[in-house]
């Protein structure tokens, strides 16, 4: 159930990213790469190792987006919370 919830949260983040005002190309690339890595992690059958760096990276990206893209920041925060529930 946690994985399905994370999939839905990622889908919402993807929609927010598509609808967002222009984002710095480097920041967008970093965010898209993080989303791709999260998808890889949730598709694995084995649980991810504790201390996986994805959550920290997403938190850093959320801070970078906070002023210019508050809705996208909220979407990233939802993903961070979902990762925390999964122990990532």
């Amino acid at each position: 159930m946690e994985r399905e919830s994370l999939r839905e949260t990622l889908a919402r983040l993807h929609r927010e990213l598509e609808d967002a005002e222009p984002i710095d190309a480097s920041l967008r690339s970093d965010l898209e790469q993080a989303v791709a890595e999260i998808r890889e992690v949730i598709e694995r059958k084995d649980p991810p190792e504790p201390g996986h760096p994805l959550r920290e990276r997403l938190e850093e990206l959320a801070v970078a987006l906070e002023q210019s893209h508050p809705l996208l920041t909220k979407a990233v925060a939802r993903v961070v919370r979902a990762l925390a529930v999964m122990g990532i």
Side-chain angles (χ1 to χ4, degrees):
M1 183 63 172
E2 292 171 351
R3 289 175 194 261
E4 186 58 36
S5 176
L6 183 54
R7 281 186 190 97
E8 291 170 11
T9 303
L10 283 174
R12 280 187 282 176
L13 173 58
H14 184 73
R15 285 190 302 272
E16 291 281 345
L17 186 56
E18 292 294 317
D19 295 341
E21 296 293 322
I23 300 172
D24 173 76
S26 175
L27 187 57
R28 178 180 285 276
S29 175
D30 289 345
L31 188 54
E32 288 173 348
Q33 181 179 355
V35 168
E37 287 181 44
I38 293 167
R39 285 195 173 114
E40 288 176 20
V41 166
I42 63 174
E43 294 305 322
R44 291 183 199 148
K45 295 192 189 300
D46 298 328
E49 295 180 20
H52 200 285
L54 278 174
R55 234 175 77 202
E56 286 180 18
R57 283 196 12 236
L58 280 173
E59 288 170 344
E60 291 170 3
L61 289 168
V63 169
L65 290 165
E66 195 167 23
Q67 293 298 317
S68 61
H69 295 82
L71 293 177
L72 194 52
T73 301
K74 289 178 184 179
V76 171
R78 286 190 299 268
V79 173
V80 169
R81 283 191 298 275
L83 289 172
V85 168
M86 290 183 67
I88 299 174

